[in-house]
């Protein structure tokens, strides 16, 4: 059995729509403070995006468990 972890970050954009950024292989033990700091940095440096993220909405750590199936 294998597990994988993804970090999903949701923002509001300057055009009023939402924006989602996902990062595979995230640390399961990432602290709330670290994730919030990351998101604040993305908003502060958002000029690299066509429609800049202007506000932090939510964040999730998504853990997926994979089980191999014996087909013999």
């Amino acid at each position: 059995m294998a597990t994988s972890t993804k970090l999903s970050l949701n923002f509001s954009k300057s055009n009023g729509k939402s924006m989602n950024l996902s990062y595979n292989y995230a640390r399961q033990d990432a602290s709330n403070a670290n994730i919030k700091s990351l998101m604040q940095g993305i908003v502060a440096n958002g000029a690299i995006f066509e429609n800049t993220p202007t506000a932090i909405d939510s964040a999730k750590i998504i853990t997926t468990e994979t089980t191999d199936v014996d087909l013999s």
Side-chain angles (χ1 to χ4, degrees), residues 4-24:
S4 62
T5 306
K6 180 190 297 189
L7 177 61
S8 178
L9 309 174
N10 296 298
F11 301 89
S12 296
K13 296 192 303 186
S14 58
N15 64 359
K17 296 185 179 183
S18 63
M19 172 179 161
N20 180 290
L21 298 174
S22 294
Y23 298 96
N24 293 325

Side-chain angles (χ1 to χ4, degrees), residues 1-71:
M1 209 176 309
T3 60
S4 62
T5 306
K6 180 190 297 189
L7 177 61
S8 178
L9 309 174
N10 296 298
F11 301 89
S12 296
K13 296 192 303 186
S14 58
N15 64 359
K17 296 185 179 183
S18 63
M19 172 179 161
N20 180 290
L21 298 174
S22 294
Y23 298 96
N24 293 325
Y25 311 107
R27 292 179 56 167
Q28 281 185 308
D29 62 347
S31 71
N32 293 345
N34 285 342
I35 294 170
K36 184 175 181 179
S37 178
L38 169 65
M39 294 180 77
Q40 289 171 332
I42 290 171
V43 169
N45 297 293
I48 63 169
F49 299 101
E50 185 174 334
N51 292 301
T52 59
T54 56
I56 295 169
D57 286 340
S58 66
K60 299 175 192 168
I61 295 176
I62 303 166
T63 304
T64 304
E65 193 171 283
T66 307
T67 304
D68 291 329
V69 177
D70 182 10
L71 300 175

